[in-house]
Amino acid sequence: MAAQKYELILLKNMSQPGYTGSLADYEQTGGYQALRKILGKVPPAEVTATVMKSGLRGRGGAGFPTGVKWGFLPKDYQGTRYLCCNADESEPGTFKDRQLMERDPHQLLEGIVLAGYAIGAESTYIYIRGEMVLGSRILEQALAEARKAGYVGKNILGTGVHVDIWVHRGAGAYICGEETALLESLEGKRGLPRVKPPFPATHGLYDKPTVVNNVETLANLPHIINRGPEWFASIGSPPKSTGTRIFCVSGHVKRPGNYEVPMGVTFRELIYDQAGGMRGEKPLKAFIPGGASAPFLTPEHLDVKLDFESVAAAGSMLGSGGVTIMEEGTSMVWAALRLMEFFYHESCGKCSPCREGSSWLVQTMRRIVAKQGRAQDLETLSDLCKNIAGRTVCAFGDAEVAPIMSTLKHWRQEYVALIHEAEAANLIKSIPVGARH
Amino acid sequence: MNLAEKYKDEIADILSRYPVRRSALIPLLYLAQQENGFITEGAMIEIAGMLKLTPPQVYETATFYTMLNLKKVGKFHIQICKSLMCALVGSDTVIGWMKTKLGIGPGETTADGLFTLTAVECLAACGTGPMMQINDDYYERLTEEKVDRILADLRTTGTSSMKSGPFMWPDRAGARV
Ligand SMILES: Cc1cc2nc3c(=O)[nH]c(=O)nc-3n(C[C@H](O)[C@H](O)[C@H](O)COP(=O)(O)O)c2cc1C
Ligand code: SF4
Ligand code: FES
């Protein structure tokens, strides 16, 4: 294997031959040293300050600064606080959290204990997507090891600090990745997002102050503690996009998979260098930069940098880190319909623009793809999208219109061509059979 | 069936994890599902009693989640991912093979009650598509031969060595530049 171009941080342990993710393996690579360094020695507020200084931003989708989020918890409040690790990973195109949990579970557990300590949460929950049965078994096993060794639970390493961790399996609903839907689900209810404010920082799980953080976000913490916030802040595109990210590359490339690179490398490098380039002769036609909720981009955007600001400036978002590559010949209308079907299936139904709108959008798109579209359909699509985005209880509304809006913007002629075909066919049908030549 | 007697220890463990009883609902529904392959009305009423909820409250939650089955499914529940990333690498073809091989379409169960076929949305394995989940296990980078072997294995032994272990890595990354 040729030398790795960039230093791996999160995927480093598991890239060592023979690494099994057991407690012994993790300890051998310096695991749980951050916890020894911090617990009972460094005040929690200082841990939060360190995380703030590192510039770490959430890896779950929105990119909110982690230390700042922790700082929103009410300072004078003495009661129970909770931490939830968002391991629901259901955004199409995203498959990094599963790798982090299945291959190096202790890295995540150490991160959770550190975060729990920093925010004063003695009970923490890993909300793992229900389908990941193997992942939840691996986590349970790792937890049993960590409890036995005194790294998790009551009086950790004799420091008097309590942080317990429980694995809670979801049961199949994309929307439970949205943090307030996650909390509802964890409370045993339907996973319907809550109207915000109030935010989880003040009214979260069981109405108590709560932090929700993504798996990858939390897995970064031991490294930030061990190597210092300055080190972390020097990686990537400082000052706003620090550290590495695991990009999940899927679609028409030679080597789909997870690639951990410093934020700020270009899409060109990720696609052609890391992922080996296009799988065949056909050139790149389109790519999605950050999961199904991120607007499509074109080959013109290949030199855009993979950091929060640059991708936003290009009209899309870094989102969940799912990068999907499509070659020439892929129908963009078909691709947008596939994603629209996903959103239609997953709309929780709480608010009408999303519930009704997703149904209309999917019906209109199906009609166009089936070559039964009508000239006014394009306007209908735009109108629907405009009336959903920004008018819903949760950010799902903005997400679901992204594929259609962006493909309409960049590949409108493909929609038009399908509708023309439909109209031509209708014209033939409307001529009496006897008159047809 | 009486869950409370049969799963006494499991139920105690589940209840001990949460300060508010209702949080145990989904874990208990899973337990009930493990018993029959689906959740019976009787089980829902029993769970409601355990958690001091009304049966409609249990029903309301149970009907929201796709993994909680309120109806009988086949012994092997085959769920093929049909989302875009898998579709780009051939998941529709896999669904086609499955239809021919099993003689059923998505949403149907074979007459012998062995297989239920469902087309589902992304299962977080998009880099190793096309893929499917059968009961608890993932099967990735499917080819027609692989599908044949898996079905034959399941029919004869009830399990298949073709199932995925922990996330494929670094065997595949070994090929990296
Ligand atoms: C519809 C929807 C789905 C989401 N799904 C996920 C998910 O699967 N995993 C995740 O970590 N965050 C997801 N999020 C983002 C969470 O709401 C939340 O912002 C995140 O977990 C916070 O963690 P972070 O600050 O560490 O990124 C989703 C958001 C929305 C609106
Ligand atoms: S936007 Fe959609 S998913 Fe979000 S609350 Fe409304 S209906 Fe539910
Ligand atoms: S699209 Fe099939 S697993 Fe993600």
Side-chain angles (χ1 to χ4, degrees), chain A residues 252-408:
Chain A
H252 297 149
V253 286
K254 277 209 181 77
R255 290 193 301 270
N258 281 334
Y259 295 94
E260 182 183 15
V261 292
M263 271 197 268
V265 305
T266 61
F267 282 101
R268 189 183 299 283
E269 179 173 348
L270 180 71
I271 298 168
Y272 291 95
D273 192 20
Q274 300 278 335
M278 302 305 288
R279 65 173 181 181
E281 299 291 297
K282 293 183 185 161
L284 173 73
K285 176 169 180 179
F287 61 96
I288 306 173
S293 306
F296 286 43
L297 293 176
T298 73
E300 271 173 47
H301 300 108
L302 272 174
D303 291 308
V304 169
K305 289 184 174 156
L306 282 139
D307 60 48
F308 292 108
E309 280 65 37
S310 307
V311 182
S316 189
M317 63 176 193
L318 202 53
S320 66
V323 181
T324 301
I325 314 301
M326 287 165 272
E327 65 191 15
E328 204 54 69
T330 312
S331 160
M332 291 297 108
V333 191
W334 168 84
L337 169 60
R338 264 309 151 110
L339 294 176
M340 193 59 232
E341 281 178 338
F342 163 79
F343 287 115
Y344 169 58
H345 184 254
E346 300 296 341
S347 168
C348 83
K350 177 165 178 158
C351 49
S352 21
C354 170
R355 183 187 59 241
E356 304 303 321
S358 62
S359 159
W360 291 349
L361 281 174
V362 89
Q363 288 176 47
T364 313
M365 289 294 287
R366 278 182 187 154
R367 188 159 72 219
I368 297 174
V369 170
K371 296 183 185 163
Q372 289 163 356
R374 306 188 277 250
Q376 64 271 33
D377 280 347
L378 294 190
E379 201 146 328
T380 308
L381 287 177
S382 309
D383 275 358
L384 282 169
C385 290
K386 277 184 215 137
N387 282 297
I388 296 172
R391 294 170 192 236
T392 53
V393 168
C394 84
F396 183 103
D398 302 323
E400 71 184 306
V401 303
I404 296 178
M405 295 259 270
S406 57
T407 50
L408 260 179

Side-chain angles (χ1 to χ4, degrees), chain A residues 110-143:
Chain A
E110 186 175 12
I112 293 175
V113 174
L114 290 168
Y117 173 71
I119 67 165
E122 296 189 351
S123 292
T124 70
Y125 293 94
I126 303 177
Y127 185 98
I128 183 169
R129 140 163 226 195
E131 289 87 347
M132 296 181 188
V133 182
L134 181 61
S136 63
R137 280 192 201 133
I138 290 173
L139 283 173
E140 292 278 15
Q141 214 175 339
L143 262 173

Side-chain angles (χ1 to χ4, degrees), chain B:
Chain B
M1 169 203 46
N2 190 330
L3 292 170
E5 270 168 37
K6 185 156 179 198
Y7 295 102
K8 198 164 157 266
D9 297 343
E10 283 95 334
I11 293 171
D13 174 49
I14 290 170
L15 290 171
S16 75
R17 295 171 172 221
Y18 310 99
V20 175
R21 256 192 308 250
R22 186 172 179 158
S23 283
L25 179 51
I26 293 175
L28 291 179
L29 288 169
Y30 269 129
L31 208 61
Q33 177 155 303
Q34 183 182 315
E35 182 69 22
N36 287 320
F38 73 108
I39 302 164
T40 61
E41 207 179 303
M44 283 194 269
I45 293 170
E46 190 188 346
I47 291 171
M50 276 186 226
L51 300 181
K52 310 258 183 303
L53 298 171
T54 63
Q57 283 175 311
V58 173
Y59 188 73
E60 180 186 81
T61 296
T63 48
F64 186 77
Y65 298 93
T66 55
M67 289 181 65
L68 301 177
N69 305 320
L70 301 188
K71 279 193 278 192
K72 202 166 168 53
V73 294
K75 183 170 175 210
F76 302 107
H77 188 181
I78 302 178
Q79 310 192 64
I80 304 176
C81 170
K82 69 169 176 77
S83 293
L84 176 66
M85 296 75 198
C86 279
L88 288 171
V89 292
S91 59
D92 290 0
T93 315
V94 178
I95 296 173
W97 293 332
M98 219 46 113
K99 278 186 186 164
T100 326
K101 290 175 203 301
L102 299 177
I104 51 169
E108 295 173 354
T109 301
T110 52
D112 57 7
L114 219 45
F115 298 101
T116 297
L117 181 62
T118 320
V120 297
E121 298 293 353
C122 179
L123 289 166
C126 334
T128 41
M131 64 81 62
M132 63 183 170
Q133 176 164 23
I134 304 182
N135 297 353
D136 290 350
D137 302 312
Y138 278 25
Y139 296 84
E140 297 162 81
R141 289 198 209 133
L142 296 174
T143 59
E144 187 163 13
E145 287 156 73
K146 230 169 155 172
V147 167
D148 283 335
R149 264 192 60 188
I150 295 164
L151 292 179
D153 286 352
L154 293 178
R155 280 200 168 99
T156 50
T157 66
T159 177
S160 172
S161 61
M162 309 295 284
K163 67 183 174 210
S164 308
F167 196 96
M168 291 187 188
W169 165 284
D171 53 318
R172 52 197 316 280
R176 268 197 206 176
V177 189

